[in-house]
């Protein structure tokens, strides 16, 4: 890639944020892992599974399948964000953060998937086994940030479009833009920030923003200035403790409410919580409690920004 042709901050080797922050060292990671007091999440028993209420929908319907995997149904197309149906968020199947709750829609019960949005390449967001299954069954178009196409191609997934920040892609005449967020990328120890991360804005009959995973920054006011008010935002509310380690790249619920206000969202839809044990340190129920308190402090309503029930379909008209 020629740095002069890339809109995101890029020095020819690595990408950066609009507001750069220092990479956490491996020693910092070890310090967190060996000194943290991680809460004991219990596996969900007697879980209910759901089937989509409709195979396609003209009106906007959102269903949280788990973590950052959301089924978006609008204008008769079906979109999956950061699809993850594997048991662990890890490069291996025998170690790493493990699910306490299964995907609320079983893979075989998914409606036809037309489009997949991948926010970045961390293992809890870009899951190769799931993408292979989707590719085999549906062959959806997959949108990714710059530098991520090769990984998918090497796994037999070729219906892929790479996007720079502020790029726009038309899918069935629906504009979909890739926006900056405040995060980073890596799948190993030696590839930090070598691929691009971001969020997506879908400008269908309703405007939908998917933040993926992010820290807080001025970028959200910039998104609002460029695109105007947005109907619904899929905003992370979990995976934020300890703050000394997580703050730069992971918002807490208070900051999620700030993003809700910066983007001038009509509705907020919480994601990125309650799925993978040991991903971060906060107790299982803390994101929802902290979100409710943050909304109360901001005088916003928990009817306008919800922590959705896994598997329940929410309709926005």
């Amino acid at each position: 890639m020629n740095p002069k042709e890339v809109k995101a901050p890029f020095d020819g080797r690595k990408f950066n944020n609009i507001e750069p922050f220092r990479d956490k060292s491996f020693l910092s990671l070890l310090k967190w892992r060996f000194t943290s007091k991680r809460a004991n999440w219990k596996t969900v028993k007697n879980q209910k599974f759901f089937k989509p209420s409709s195979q396609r929908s003209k009106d906007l319907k959102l269903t949280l399948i788990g973590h950052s995997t959301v089924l978006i149904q609008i204008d008769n197309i079906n979109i999956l964000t950061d699809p993850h149906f594997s048991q662990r968020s890890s490069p291996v199947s025998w170690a790493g953060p493990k699910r306490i709750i299964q995907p609320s829609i079983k893979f075989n019960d998914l409606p036809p998937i037309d489009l997949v949005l991948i926010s970045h390449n961390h293992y809890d967001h870009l899951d190769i086994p799931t993408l292979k299954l989707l590719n085999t069954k549906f062959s959806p178009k997959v949108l990714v940030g710059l530098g991520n196409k090769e990984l998918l191609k090497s796994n037999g997934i070729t219906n892929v479009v790479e996007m720079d920040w502020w790029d726009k892609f038309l899918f069935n005449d629906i504009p979909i833009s890739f926006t900056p967020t405040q995060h980073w990328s890596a799948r190993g120890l030696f590839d930090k920030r070598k691929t691009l991360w971001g969020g997506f804005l879908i400008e269908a009959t309703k405007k939908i923003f998917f933040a993926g995973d992010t820290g807080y920054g001025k970028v959200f006011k910039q998104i609002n200035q460029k695109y105007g008010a947005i109907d619904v935002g899929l905003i992370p509310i979990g995976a934020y403790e300890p703050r000394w380690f997580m703050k730069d790249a992971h918002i807490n619920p208070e900051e999620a409410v700030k993003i809700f206000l910066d983007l001038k969202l009509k509705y907020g839809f919480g994601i990125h919580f309650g799925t993978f044990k040991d991903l971060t340190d906060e107790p299982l129920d803390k994101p929802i409690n902290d979100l409710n308190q943050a909304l109360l402090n901001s005088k916003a309503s928990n009817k306008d920004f919800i922590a959705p029930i896994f598997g329940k379909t929410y309709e926005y008209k």
Side-chain angles (χ1 to χ4, degrees), residues 146-210:
L146 293 176
N148 287 293
K149 185 175 182 177
E150 186 57 39
L151 172 64
L152 274 61
K153 183 179 177 182
S154 67
N155 283 279
I157 303 162
T158 58
N159 195 10
V160 180
V161 175
E162 282 191 339
M163 300 180 72
D164 194 356
W165 284 350
W166 311 118
D167 277 357
K168 184 178 291 186
F169 177 80
L170 283 179
F171 184 83
N172 286 17
D173 296 323
I174 296 172
I176 300 172
S177 299
F178 193 54
T179 75
T181 56
Q182 193 73 5
H183 205 56
W184 58 291
S185 63
R187 289 177 77 82
L189 294 177
F190 306 107
D191 63 341
K192 282 187 179 179
R193 297 188 285 112
K194 288 192 175 181
T195 65
L196 190 58
W197 55 92
F200 289 91
L201 180 72
I202 305 163
E203 296 182 90
T205 49
K206 287 278 192 292
K207 288 168 72 174
I208 309 141
F209 178 69
F210 169 57

Side-chain angles (χ1 to χ4, degrees), residues 277-295:
K277 179 181 178 181
D278 295 337
L279 194 64
T280 52
D281 287 1
E282 72 270 6
L284 178 61
D285 57 355
K286 199 169 189 296
I288 296 175
N289 293 337
D290 285 356
L291 176 63
N292 288 333
Q293 186 60 53
L295 289 166

Side-chain angles (χ1 to χ4, degrees), residues 38-57:
R38 277 170 278 174
N40 184 22
W41 289 21
K42 293 183 179 179
T43 299
V44 175
K45 295 182 179 179
N46 301 317
Q47 178 187 343
K48 291 182 179 179
F49 294 93
F50 298 81
K51 293 184 179 181
S53 57
S54 56
Q55 288 292 289
R56 296 190 181 275
S57 175

